[in-house]
Amino acid sequence: MGFKLISVASLIAFYGCYFIKMFLQKKQGIQTDQIGKGKVGFVKFVEVTMKVAAVLVFVAGLVSIFIGTNYGSVTVRVMGAAISVVGTFVFIAAVQTMRDSWRAGVSKTDKTELVTKGIYQISRNPAFLGFDLLYIGTLLMFFNWILCILTVFAIIMYHLQIVNVEEEFLLATFGNEYLQYKQKVCRYIGRKR
């Protein structure tokens, strides 16, 4: 029962942050969800497939939590709980640090700033890292092969979004400022020397 509680609390905090932020931005006239909008070709494919993967892994995670699958040892499940909680805090810190520059997907029409402070000093993509950690933690607590396949699929799609969409957009938008930032901070976690 403890793992279910931790998982559900993590999901509520994580997605609560996500949707509350979207709601607050909408009240300010900011369209947060830019996934697939105004995109074509490979970029649209990556963004839309990423969104589908996110929904599928979320649903599979919920089903796994409520069915209570647990093929892992207690130690693995405890690690999963810790990873889920850390992922939730990382995501919330990322969204709060981005303030009104946060978007789901990229928008070539919205004027945003390059955020390099706070958690962005140790990760160029802490929101994506938060998603990955949440999904990995849920998988470790409630392992099953369907959830495993969907978790890997979602993580791959997030990575493709970062490498093929986000990084190209940031380079085109912020140029040398982004290149300097990229030379100092790792894609997922850590600072470069």
Side-chain angles (χ1 to χ4, degrees):
M1 185 62 165
F3 292 113
K4 285 185 180 184
L5 184 61
I6 291 168
S7 288
V8 170
S10 292
L11 288 171
I12 289 170
F14 190 100
Y15 285 101
C17 171
Y18 186 96
F19 288 111
I20 289 169
K21 182 67 170 187
M22 286 181 82
F23 174 76
L24 293 173
Q25 285 186 312
K26 186 174 184 172
K27 283 179 68 173
Q28 296 176 7
I30 298 170
Q31 179 65 39
T32 306
D33 185 358
Q34 297 290 331
I35 298 173
K37 295 180 177 155
K39 317 294 187 341
V40 294
F42 185 68
V43 170
K44 182 169 186 142
F45 170 79
V46 168
E47 285 197 351
V48 171
T49 306
M50 176 191 68
K51 191 172 194 174
V52 169
V55 170
L56 289 175
V57 76
F58 172 77
V59 170
L62 275 183
V63 169
S64 299
I65 291 165
F66 287 107
I67 289 175
T69 59
N70 61 356
Y71 298 114
S73 68
V74 172
T75 303
V76 169
R77 296 184 84 197
V78 168
M79 284 177 21
I83 291 169
S84 281
V85 170
V86 168
T88 300
F89 280 109
V90 166
F91 179 79
I92 291 169
V95 170
Q96 288 180 335
T97 304
M98 285 286 284
R99 297 190 323 260
D100 288 333
S101 290
W102 180 65
R103 301 289 185 279
V106 299
S107 171
K108 294 186 179 183
T109 58
D110 291 1
K111 179 70 175 147
T112 59
E113 63 183 65
L114 180 64
V115 177
T116 61
K117 303 293 182 204
I119 195 164
Y120 288 85
Q121 293 176 32
I122 58 170
S123 174
R124 291 196 323 261
N125 298 284
F128 286 109
L129 178 61
F131 272 105
D132 291 349
L133 293 173
L134 178 72
Y135 297 158
I136 290 167
T138 302
L139 175 65
L140 293 176
M141 285 186 282
F142 301 98
F143 184 88
N144 63 73
W145 285 107
I146 293 172
L147 182 59
C148 181
I149 290 165
L150 291 173
T151 297
V152 170
F153 177 53
I155 290 171
I156 289 169
M157 291 313 303
Y158 286 138
H159 181 74
L160 291 176
Q161 171 74 9
I162 291 167
V163 173
N164 295 298
V165 181
E166 303 268 340
E167 289 181 353
E168 289 182 17
F169 168 76
L170 291 168
L171 181 59
T173 304
F174 298 106
N176 196 45
E177 183 184 5
Y178 177 67
L179 282 176
Q180 289 176 1
Y181 173 59
K182 191 175 176 181
Q183 290 172 350
K184 294 178 189 171
V185 180
C186 295
R187 180 177 285 139
Y188 292 106
I189 191 160
R191 290 187 63 86
K192 300 176 183 179
R193 295 181 188 238

